Each structure stands twice: as structure tokens, then as C-alpha cells.
């Protein structure tokens, strides 16, 4: 199912590759071994690509808006780049002002992962050494991507890209992995994603952010009567009431690690949908507030609100907020999380 081809070279001369699967069910997906970046989701009936990205690995190495990549060791912001663990204070790299963002300068998004095609799956592996960006412990990671279809009454009723993420570590460490795809369901080369419709499913509330630090206050607030009540809502109709735009996490009602629907983004004409399912406790919605004229695939220019990032994850800064879900992986334990993308074409 997966076809491997060259995807350019890094400045260091390391060659990278693109892996593409044509599902035969109206969807074609591509991913690179550089940061396991999701490069394209194409609905083949109109050849509409709904992911922001780049034509080769040079764009992914050069730009820092995390287009489609896996993010970690800890995604989102860590206050002051510091945390306490088992009586010791750790200092992380400060790669975004006075905070640690998305795993730091190296993280998991700026490295080439080992990749092997095994049957219908891609199996990515990477070891992040002790001390990388300040994190304790040697982290052994495996991410398995698989394309699956679901039949109903003998007919294909759904196509899924499943990401199973696993990790072990020889020391206690915080961990919070996610993928960071930017969607524009009207096409990645459409000037704005504000006409897209967004739904966030069963959730207990959203996490208010401090407007200065863009870090959660520690509260969880109900969304009724607010612009955070997203139910097939045109994003452009809601965003004007949120200073700076969406950059917020929603607390999902996931229990016992079951994979449940988290969010769904839909094209303005209602024809195409991508649904994110996960066992993570949160889904972070980021409305591309800092996109600023980056040239992407086929010369497309990605401006402010040109894409909507949907990131299934634990809560930001959870390592420093005791009331948030635990994010510590200890020696002898295994981190296991799932993010699944479901593709729907509506006739």
C-alpha cells in the first residue's frame, strides 16, 4: 500500500523520504520520515489537498510552524521552561521567548525517524537521548501509522489513518505527544480557513488562557453561550469574539483510554470532513494566528488563519499544574496513546 520516494535532503546532506498510500477509497495520504510530518491528505475525486505543507523536506527543516509533524517530548508550552520531578528541578530549552514550546529546539519534529514498511503499516522508531532539550532519560519511541477502511453492508463507509504512539524511558520524564496538522478543508491553497465549520465533541469545558503568557490558568470553564461552543460552527463567525484567535485546549470526556470522537472540521460546502478520534484527555484548537505569508506547496501562500491546527494531547503545562491529568512516564511503564483521522466524503 505504501510507496516510498525521495523527498529531498537536509542541510546536513541526510536524505529524506516521502511515503504515500492511495487507499482506493477516495483518499490519498502522504507522510515524510522527517518529524513524521503529515504532508498531504488528498480527496481524489477533486484532487483537493486539505493539509498545509511543503513540496519537499527543505520547507519542513526551514520553517518552524510545525506543519503536520509529531510534537514532543512535551507538546505546547511549559511555563518558564521548568518543572519539578521527584524533588529535582529541571530546566528545559527556552525556544519561544521565556517558555519551552513543543519539545524545544530539537524535539521530535526536527529529526529524521527510522521508518520501515511492514505490511500495510509504517513503523517509525527514534531514540531521544537523555538531556535532549533538558529532558531526563533516554526515551525510546515507536509510532505506527496504518490506513484502515470500515465496511457497512458490504460497502466501504469510512477511511482512517491511525497513529499508535508508544514510548518507554529509563528515567521518570514528562511526556505529551501529538500531531500538529493544519487543515483547510476548502483546499490548502485557499486564502483562509475561516469558512470551514468546526465541531468539538463530548467535552467538559475549555481551558482559559492567560492572555500574556498563553498558558492555561488551571481552570476548566463551561462553554455554553461562549464562542467556544463549537457545533458545526463557521469558524469566522466565532473567532471575532476571541482576542488573538483560538489557541485553546478543550477537556474531552475520554475515559479508560477508549478512543472517542474529539473534533471534526468540514469544508464550507459540506462535501469533505476530517474527524479526529483519540484517547487523549484534550484537543487543542489553534487557528493559525501567527501564520504570516509562508510559501508552501505548489506556491501557495499561508497567511493568518490560513489553516486550523487540531492537536489531540494532554493539557498544556500539565507538568506544573497538579489538578491536570498526569503526564509523567516512569521507568518500567509504557506510554500508549492513539490519534486517528477519519475521512468522509458527503455526496
Amino acid at each position: 500500500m505504501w510507496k516510498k520516494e525521495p523527498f529531498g535532503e537536509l542541510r546536513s546532506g541526510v536524505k529524506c523520504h516521502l511515503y504515500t498510500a492511495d487507499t482506493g477509497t477516495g483518499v490519498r495520504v502522504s507522510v515524510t520520515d522527517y518529524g513524521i510530518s503529515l504532508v498531504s491528505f488528498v480527496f481524489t475525486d477533486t484532487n483537493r489537498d486539505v493539509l498545509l505543507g511543503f513540496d519537499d523536506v527543505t520547507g519542513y527543516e526551514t520553517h518552524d510552524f510545525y506543519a503536520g509533524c509529531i510534537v514532543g517530548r512535551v507538546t505546547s508550552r511549559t511555563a518558564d521552561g521548568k518543572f519539578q520531578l521527584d524533588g529535582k528541578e529541571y530546566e528545559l530549552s527556552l525556544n519561544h521567548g521565556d517558555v519551552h514550546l513543543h519539545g524545544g529546539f530539537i524535539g521530535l519534529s526536527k529529526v529524521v525517524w527510522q521508518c520501515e514498511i511492514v505490511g500495510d503499516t509504517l513503523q517509525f522508531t527514534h531514540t531521544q537521548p537523555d538531556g535532549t532539550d533538558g529532558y531526563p532519560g533516554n526515551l525510546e519511541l515507536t509510532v505506527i501509522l496504518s490506513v484502515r477502511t470500515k465496511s457497512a453492508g458490504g460497502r466501504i463507509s469510512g477511511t482512517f489513518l491511525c497513529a499508535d504512539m508508544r514510548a518507554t524511558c529509563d528515567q521518570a520524564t514528562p511526556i505529551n505527544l501529538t500531531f500538529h496538522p493544519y487543515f483547510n478543508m476548502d483546499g490548502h491553497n485557499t486564502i483562509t480557513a475561516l469558512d470551514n465549520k468546526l465541531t468539538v465533541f463530548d467535552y467538559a469545558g475549555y481551558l482559559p488562557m492567560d492572555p500574556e503568557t498563553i498558558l492555561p490558568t488551571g481552570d476548566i470553564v463551561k462553554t455554553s453561550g461562549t464562542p467556544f461552543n463549537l457545533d458545526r460552527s463557521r469558524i469566522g463567525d466565532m473567532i471575532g469574539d476571541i482576542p488573538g484567535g483560538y489557541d485553546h485546549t478543550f477537556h474531552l470526556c475520554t475515559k479508560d483510554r477508549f478512543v472517542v470522537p474529539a473534533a471534526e472540521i468540514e469544508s464550507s460546502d459540506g462535501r469533505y470532513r476530517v474527524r479526529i478520534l483519540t484517547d487523549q484527555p484534550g484537543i487543542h484548537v489553534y487557528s493559525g494566528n501567527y501564520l504570516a505569508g509562508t510559501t508552501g506547496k505548489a506556491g501557495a501562500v499561508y497567511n493568518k488563519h490560513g489553516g486550523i491546527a487540531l492537536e489531540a494531547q494532554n493539557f498544556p503545562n500539565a507538568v506544573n499544574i497538579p489538578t491536570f491529568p498526569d503526564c509523567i512516564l516512569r521507568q518500567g511503564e509504557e506510554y500508549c496513546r492513539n490519534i486517528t483521522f477519519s475521512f468522509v466524503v458527503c455526496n
Side-chain angles (χ1 to χ4, degrees):
M1 173 179 289
W2 293 97
K3 180 182 71 173
K4 178 181 178 180
E5 58 187 310
F7 199 53
E9 295 183 5
L10 301 177
R11 286 179 292 233
S12 64
V14 174
K15 298 181 186 298
C16 296
H17 301 89
L18 186 72
Y19 300 83
T20 300
D22 194 330
T23 67
T25 58
V27 178
R28 185 171 63 251
V29 301
S30 295
V31 59
T32 177
D33 46 16
Y34 185 73
I36 321 184
S37 300
L38 303 172
V39 174
S40 62
F41 290 166
V42 177
F43 290 95
T44 57
D45 60 341
T46 58
N47 206 36
R48 182 184 295 182
D49 186 353
V50 300
L51 284 188
L52 277 59
F54 300 97
D55 291 321
D56 59 36
V57 75
T58 300
Y60 292 92
E61 181 181 27
T62 304
H63 296 285
D64 60 359
F65 69 92
Y66 303 94
C69 61
I70 194 169
V71 177
R73 187 175 300 196
V74 172
T75 188
S76 199
R77 296 170 178 86
T78 300
D80 301 318
K82 297 178 180 180
F83 65 91
Q84 295 270 348
L85 179 57
D86 296 337
K88 180 179 178 181
E89 182 175 83
Y90 291 88
E91 294 188 6
L92 306 176
S93 59
L94 299 178
N95 62 317
H96 190 74
D98 58 358
V99 299
H100 174 83
L101 178 68
H102 289 334
F105 290 104
I106 301 172
L108 301 176
S109 58
K110 295 293 186 181
V111 296
V112 180
W113 290 59
Q114 296 298 310
C115 181
E116 183 179 1
I117 300 174
V118 180
D120 290 339
T121 70
L122 293 179
Q123 297 194 8
F124 294 93
T125 56
H126 177 66
T127 300
Q128 187 179 63
D130 177 31
T132 303
D133 281 296
Y135 287 103
N138 297 291
L139 189 69
E140 301 285 345
L141 298 119
T142 300
V143 177
I144 300 175
L145 295 185
S146 57
V147 175
R148 304 173 189 172
T149 57
K150 178 181 178 182
S151 298
R155 301 176 60 188
I156 297 295
S157 62
T159 303
F160 305 85
L161 176 66
C162 304
D164 289 303
M165 306 178 294
R166 297 176 181 270
T168 59
C169 196
D170 58 7
Q171 296 183 46
T173 183
I175 185 171
N176 182 14
L177 306 182
T178 191
F179 278 87
H180 201 289
Y182 287 86
F183 295 93
N184 188 333
M185 299 302 293
D186 291 336
H188 79 97
N189 53 353
T190 302
I191 193 168
T192 181
L194 294 182
D195 292 327
N196 288 196
K197 302 168 189 174
L198 182 61
T199 299
V200 178
F201 292 105
D202 190 21
Y203 58 92
Y206 78 97
L207 278 56
M209 297 290 185
D210 181 299
E212 297 296 325
T213 63
I214 321 180
L215 286 162
T217 63
D219 298 322
I220 299 175
V221 176
K222 299 293 185 182
T223 64
S224 179
T226 77
F228 296 96
N229 187 19
L230 296 166
D231 185 5
R232 294 195 72 191
S233 306
R234 179 182 174 275
I235 298 167
D237 292 339
M238 314 292 282
I239 199 171
D241 294 325
I242 303 174
Y246 289 102
D247 198 353
H248 297 80
T249 300
F250 292 75
H251 178 194
L252 300 173
C253 295
T254 51
K255 296 180 180 179
D256 300 321
R257 300 289 176 90
F258 289 122
V259 175
V260 299
E264 183 175 85
I265 190 164
E266 179 181 348
S267 60
S268 60
D269 62 5
R271 180 166 178 78
Y272 301 113
R273 299 178 186 176
V274 174
R275 177 175 290 189
I276 293 90
L277 304 95
T278 190
D279 56 1
Q280 299 267 36
I283 182 85
H284 192 84
V285 177
Y286 170 57
S287 52
N289 310 320
Y290 299 106
L291 295 177
T294 298
T295 300
K297 288 182 283 192
V301 178
Y302 303 141
N303 286 305
K304 184 177 182 178
H305 306 320
I308 307 299
L310 300 174
E311 311 156 50
Q313 59 177 64
N314 199 342
F315 298 174
N317 202 31
V319 71
N320 289 312
I321 302 178
T323 56
F324 281 2
D326 182 28
C327 68
I328 302 302
L329 173 67
R330 296 193 175 274
Q331 187 176 10
E333 298 177 343
E334 185 179 34
Y335 174 91
C336 301
R337 288 294 188 181
N338 177 277
I339 300 172
T340 294
F341 303 93
S342 169
F343 307 91
V344 178
V345 179
C346 301
N347 297 319

